[in-house]
């Protein structure tokens, strides 16, 4: 089977610290959450200029995503770097991703790996995933499937859905681990239940082919239906192809299950 990979991603959440006293940082977070992005930006910027690492990270996030300010990768890098140099693990991971993708800095996989390593020393799951990806693809380090599996597993066990999906791929293909379709299905399912579209598509493929699970067109349709709803175009095409091989009763059943699956936030699907 052909399973899809996921590229390294920026961690897409703002910090919410626990202040020890009346804290302007919390005011900035509250303003951001209320949709007052300009006010939040000004508060974060004031704090960042005073050396607050969480505010520096959040400024980097806002610049990287064009969230409340014009998108500006160089500014994002500058603020991520300030926070990263203070030991902020999420900023270290995001700075690594900027180097990996060549966003705001010249692309430099070795520098990306160096920042990912700093973040994984603090247990950052996104950095663990990204470091696994670097080993998986031989970017900045020699290609090493066993190392890739080790880092994917660390992130997957922390609940990182991208890592769970890629760990499933490693088991499905027998890369870095003995081939084990049942184990692949188990990891695809964990990620699929978090709404990961690639894992949902891969789980559908397993049902379509009968790998690690009994072959089941209805459940294959269900998971391609979920993945398609989450933007996976290949899944939508596969669902259309599969539907031509199914009876009207099977399609009706699959759509009934899909409706329940979607309503249950992808939990206990097909039961």
């Amino acid at each position: 089977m052909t399973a899809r990979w996921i590229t390294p991603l920026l961690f897409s959440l703002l910090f919410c610290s626990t202040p020890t006293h009346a804290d302007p940082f919390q005011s900035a977070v509250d303003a951001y959450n209320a949709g007052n992005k300009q006010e939040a930006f000004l508060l974060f910027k004031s704090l960042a200029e005073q050396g607050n690492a969480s505010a520096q990270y959040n400024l980097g996030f806002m610049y990287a995503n064009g969230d409340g300010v014009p998108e500006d990768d160089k500014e994002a890098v500058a603020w991520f770097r300030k926070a990263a140099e203070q030991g902020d693990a999420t900023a270290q991971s995001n700075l690594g991703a900027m180097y990996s993708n060549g966003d705001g800095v010249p692309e430099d996989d070795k520098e990306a790996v160096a920042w990912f390593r700093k973040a994984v020393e603090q247990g950052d799951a996104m950095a663990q995933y990204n470091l696994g990806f670097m080993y998986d693809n031989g970017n900045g380090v020699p290609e090493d499937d066993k190392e890739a599996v080790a880092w994917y597993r660390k992130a997957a066990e922390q609940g990182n859905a991208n890592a769970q999906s890629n760990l499933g791929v490693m088991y499905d293909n027998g890369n870095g681990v003995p081939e084990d379709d049942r184990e692949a299905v188990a990891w695809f399912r964990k990620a699929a239940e978090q709404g990961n579209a690639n894992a949902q598509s891969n789980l559908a493929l397993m049902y379509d082919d009968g790998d690690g699970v009994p072959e089941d067109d209805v459940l294959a349709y269900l998971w391609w239906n979920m993945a398609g709803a989450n933007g996976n175009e290949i899944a939508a095409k596969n669902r259309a192809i599969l539907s031509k091989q199914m009876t009207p009763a099977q399609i009706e059943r699959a759509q009934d299950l899909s409706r329940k699956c979607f309503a249950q936030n992808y939990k206990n699907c097909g039961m």
Side-chain angles (χ1 to χ4, degrees):
M1 75 181 274
T2 301
R4 298 185 61 193
W5 294 104
I6 306 167
T7 57
L9 301 173
L10 291 177
F11 191 75
S12 59
L13 295 175
L14 292 173
F15 275 121
C16 292
S17 68
T18 302
T20 57
H21 50 80
D23 186 10
F25 181 84
Q26 190 60 48
S27 297
V29 172
D30 292 342
Y32 180 90
N33 290 335
N36 300 323
K37 302 294 180 69
Q38 186 174 11
E39 179 185 351
F41 171 79
L42 293 173
L43 289 169
F44 283 139
K45 191 169 190 295
S46 176
L47 291 166
E49 289 171 346
Q50 296 173 52
N52 184 299
S54 295
Q56 291 167 346
Y57 165 75
N58 283 346
L59 275 187
F61 170 91
M62 295 181 80
Y63 276 116
N65 292 279
D67 189 11
V69 292
E71 185 172 331
D72 189 327
D73 289 337
K74 288 185 178 180
E75 279 290 312
V77 166
W79 288 110
F80 283 147
R81 190 184 306 280
K82 288 179 184 293
E85 288 174 348
Q86 291 198 66
D88 187 287
T90 310
Q92 291 168 344
S93 181
N94 281 8
L95 185 56
M98 301 298 274
Y99 273 107
S100 177
N101 296 326
D103 294 333
V105 286
E107 185 174 331
D108 187 333
D109 286 335
K110 289 185 178 180
E111 187 70 9
V113 167
W115 285 109
F116 291 148
R117 288 198 189 282
K118 289 179 184 291
V120 301
E121 289 173 359
Q122 300 186 64
D124 185 89
M126 184 61 77
Q128 291 168 342
Y129 163 73
N130 283 342
L131 188 55
F133 181 92
M134 302 302 272
Y135 274 110
D136 194 3
N137 292 276
N139 296 338
V141 288
E143 186 173 330
D144 189 326
D145 289 340
K146 289 186 177 179
E147 278 291 310
V149 165
W151 289 110
Y152 283 151
R153 191 183 305 280
K154 287 179 184 292
E157 289 174 348
Q158 290 201 65
N160 183 287
N162 290 343
Q164 291 169 345
S165 182
N166 279 13
L167 186 56
V169 172
M170 302 301 274
Y171 273 107
D172 183 42
N173 294 331
N175 293 335
V177 286
E179 186 174 333
D180 188 331
D181 287 337
R182 289 186 180 181
E183 190 70 10
V185 167
W187 286 110
F188 288 148
R189 194 179 303 280
K190 286 179 184 290
E193 289 180 349
Q194 293 193 64
N196 184 284
N198 286 344
Q200 291 170 342
S201 184
N202 287 342
L203 185 55
L205 280 168
M206 302 301 274
Y207 277 111
D208 188 49
D209 293 338
D211 292 335
V213 288
E215 186 175 334
D216 191 320
D217 288 347
V218 169
L219 293 181
Y221 183 106
L222 181 159
W223 285 112
W224 272 326
N225 209 13
M226 296 302 98
N230 285 317
N232 188 305
E233 294 180 1
I234 291 177
K237 291 177 181 178
N238 285 345
R239 179 192 60 207
I241 293 169
L242 177 62
S243 67
K244 294 177 181 178
Q245 306 168 19
M246 298 170 67
T247 67
Q250 286 178 313
I251 293 173
E252 182 179 1
R253 172 64 174 159
Q255 291 184 356
D256 286 343
L257 291 174
S258 296
R259 197 176 305 114
K260 293 176 183 177
C261 181
F262 192 74
Q264 294 167 181
N265 200 27
Y266 314 116
K267 305 297 191 296
N268 302 315
C269 295
M271 297 181 178

